[in-house]
Amino acid sequence: MKSEKIKVVELFAGVGGFRAGLELSSNQYATIWANQWEPEKKQQYAFDCYVSHYGASPNHVNEDIAIAKNRIPTHDLLVGGFPCQDYSVARTGAQGIEGKKGVMWWHINDIIYRHRPRFVILENVDRLLKSPGSQRGRDFGVMLRCFNDKGYCVEWRVLNAADYGYAQRRRRVYILAAHKSTNYHKEFADLKKDSLYNVLYNKGFFSSIFHVHDTVNPKKMSETLLNGENYDDLHILSNNFSIPLYNSGFMINGRVVSNEVTPIECRPTMLRQIRHTESVDEKYFLNGSLEKWHFLKGAKKIQRERPNGEPYFFSEGGMCFPDDLDKPARTMLTSESSVNRSSHVIEDATTRRLRLLTPIECERLNGFDDNWTNTGMPDKYRYFTMGNALIVPIVQKIGTRLLEVIV
């Protein structure tokens, strides 16, 4: 395998973050098919950006994945940062189990069922591990059971990019699945329950590149069986599965262990270090009254009414205004640059006036090259795509690590 190209399929490709990271790690990764589709959008800016970097091709597909998935070729590695939705399942008579809301996961599930790639790497928001609020852990439990039924082991880790030296406090869960045909799966197949915890600290995929303290947290650990021994089928699991899942975990042969791990932190990159040192276009500066910004960023306690007329108080704490340049940036959202509480406001390096982040600074926060999204899309969409993107250097490290085990 190491002497051959690793054939990659990239789903929900956005502006190409997964591909950029993998290709930075090695020229052994060959993306043979990619899909990006923004529903109900006339202009497909993210796809256009992807094509501007990787070329027009019949295998670069701008189409609903529900249709396009039937044309996916055989591959070794499936990757994607997929939308977080509701992954409950329902029994529908003779047709068995169908996903009702978590549509995107079920498309991924279909692709895995058809092709059985050797490895799968997915990225999502960390709340996936806790959703839904009424049945904590169910959504991810459904995903784990789907992987288990197809012969995969799964390891996950919530990574805050700033903990490992990067410029943004962006927490995302990264999920690695390895098929039973791989040596990586076979290495762990016979481990006993106690030894499985050691995977999270020393022997697993993520522990060798994103180091954590070698101490089990006894107050935040869980274990369960989600195979037929506890749940006859996926429908029963969906109705009954509810356990706490923490920021690190491993599943093999239906046995799941999870523990809250503590990262061995690196010195992060500061917001100051990604800030422009040259002059910035006037359109990014705040002009006029700052009263609304102070209100949005400030602490507040506001009386509101519930639908039934019952009064309650909405409260939120204050935020640093402007943002502290000697800390990593907060998590960037798709609404970045609009007038809202979550948008960053910084002091400009040359004028000392307050301004928004520029699109280039947002690209730097995610580890993209400057002007990566400067491909004809308006600034609004450049911010939007970066709010959706992953951290490219995180993927680069994952890609390097994968080369060690994809045999």
Side-chain angles (χ1 to χ4, degrees):
M1 175 62 69
K2 285 189 175 181
S3 62
E4 302 173 5
K5 291 287 187 180
I6 299 164
K7 292 180 285 188
V8 182
V9 163
E10 185 178 19
L11 305 179
F12 316 106
V15 295
F18 254 116
R19 183 167 182 172
L22 290 175
E23 291 186 358
L24 282 171
S25 70
S26 173
N27 62 8
Q28 285 186 248
Y29 293 105
T31 300
I32 62 170
W33 195 92
N35 177 260
Q36 167 57 29
W37 170 255
E38 195 69 43
E40 301 176 358
K41 298 286 186 182
K42 183 177 180 180
Q43 295 291 330
Q44 296 289 315
Y45 289 116
F47 179 75
D48 292 343
C49 179
Y50 190 96
V51 168
S52 76
H53 289 286
Y54 299 115
S57 165
N59 286 340
H60 295 162
V61 180
N62 182 221
E63 192 175 347
D64 188 338
I65 190 63
I67 301 168
K69 67 182 179 182
N70 297 316
R71 302 196 301 274
I72 293 176
T74 300
H75 51 282
D76 305 305
L77 171 63
L78 181 70
V79 301
F82 65 106
C84 179
Q85 299 184 33
D86 181 353
Y87 304 114
S88 63
V89 295
R91 194 186 301 276
T92 55
Q95 295 181 353
I97 297 169
E98 293 184 359
K100 293 300 184 183
K101 297 180 181 178
V103 177
M104 297 308 170
W105 163 249
W106 298 113
H107 294 320
I108 297 171
N109 189 56
D110 289 345
I111 294 163
I112 296 170
Y113 177 80
R114 177 177 295 183
H115 293 285
R116 296 297 203 277
R118 294 165 64 77
F119 288 88
V120 180
I121 301 175
L122 303 174
E123 179 257 12
N124 209 306
V125 294
D126 59 337
R127 71 174 179 270
L128 171 64
L129 301 177
K130 299 179 180 179
S131 66
S134 59
Q135 194 182 338
R136 291 253 170 141
R138 181 205 68 196
D139 291 354
F140 197 58
V142 167
M143 292 176 58
L144 290 175
R145 175 61 184 262
C146 290
F147 273 119
N148 184 72
D149 289 350
K150 297 173 189 62
Y152 287 84
C153 66
V154 177
E155 184 180 352
W156 73 88
R157 173 72 67 81
V158 174
L159 298 172
N160 181 343
D163 289 342
Y164 294 101
Y166 305 111
Q168 187 180 172
R169 287 169 277 172
R170 193 174 186 87
R171 291 170 54 87
R172 293 293 184 267
V173 58
Y174 288 83
I175 303 158
L176 172 95
H179 191 258
K180 62 184 178 183
S181 62
T182 63
N183 290 338
Y184 185 80
H185 186 288
K186 294 170 184 175
E187 179 181 352
F188 302 115
D190 296 324
L191 288 181
K192 303 301 181 184
K193 179 184 71 176
D194 293 342
S195 299
L196 288 180
Y197 281 103
N198 198 36
V199 175
L200 309 182
Y201 298 94
N202 297 305
K203 296 182 179 297
F205 183 85
F206 294 108
S207 59
S208 66
I209 46 176
F210 303 109
H211 304 298
V212 296
H213 292 281
D214 190 7
T215 306
V216 174
N217 185 340
K219 295 183 179 180
K220 291 188 176 182
M221 59 190 303
S222 63
E223 56 192 59
T224 189
L225 285 171
L226 47 67
N227 56 18
E229 188 172 327
N230 278 7
Y231 305 99
D232 288 341
D233 60 28
L234 196 55
H235 173 75
I236 293 174
L237 182 142
S238 178
N239 285 341
N240 297 282
F241 186 88
S242 180
I243 66 166
L245 295 172
Y246 299 104
N247 67 2
S248 185
F250 187 72
M251 178 204 73
I252 193 163
N253 298 328
R255 182 178 292 279
V256 180
V257 297
S258 181
N259 198 211
E260 191 78 10
V261 298
T262 303
I264 298 175
E265 297 180 10
C266 307
R267 179 173 175 79
T269 302
M270 304 305 175
L271 191 50
R272 183 185 302 278
Q273 294 169 260
I274 64 93
R275 182 180 59 163
H276 289 287
T277 55
E278 67 278 9
S279 62
V280 170
D281 194 300
E282 180 65 25
K283 67 182 179 180
Y284 299 113
F285 286 87
L286 306 188
N287 292 306
S289 172
L290 298 178
E291 182 178 352
K292 187 169 185 178
W293 282 104
H294 282 293
F295 171 76
L296 290 169
K297 300 284 189 176
K300 55 188 71 72
K301 188 174 184 180
I302 305 170
Q303 184 170 336
R304 294 180 176 173
E305 285 190 359
R306 304 186 193 280
N308 63 2
E310 179 186 352
Y312 74 99
F313 283 95
F314 167 77
S315 301
E316 59 185 5
M319 298 175 66
C320 186
F321 180 73
D323 283 273
D324 190 340
L325 292 168
D326 293 314
K327 291 182 178 180
R330 292 172 288 102
T331 301
M332 184 168 39
L333 304 181
T334 56
S335 58
E336 184 69 43
S337 86
S338 63
V339 181
N340 70 71
R341 180 177 168 86
S342 65
S343 288
H344 293 78
V345 175
I346 64 171
E347 183 183 88
D348 184 64
T350 59
T351 67
R352 304 299 183 191
R353 293 165 57 200
L354 297 185
R355 64 170 175 83
L356 303 169
L357 294 179
T358 69
I360 287 177
E361 288 167 331
C362 292
E363 289 162 348
R364 292 174 181 175
L365 289 180
N366 283 333
F368 286 89
D369 292 341
D370 285 6
N371 282 310
W372 184 270
T373 59
N374 189 15
T375 56
M377 70 176 84
D379 277 2
K380 174 183 176 181
Y381 288 95
R382 294 182 70 181
Y383 290 115
F384 181 85
T385 58
M386 285 298 99
N388 270 336
L390 38 68
I391 305 290
V392 172
I394 294 281
V395 178
Q396 182 180 359
K397 295 186 78 167
I398 289 172
T400 300
R401 169 65 173 144
L402 186 61
L403 289 177
E404 300 172 0
V405 303
I406 193 166
V407 293

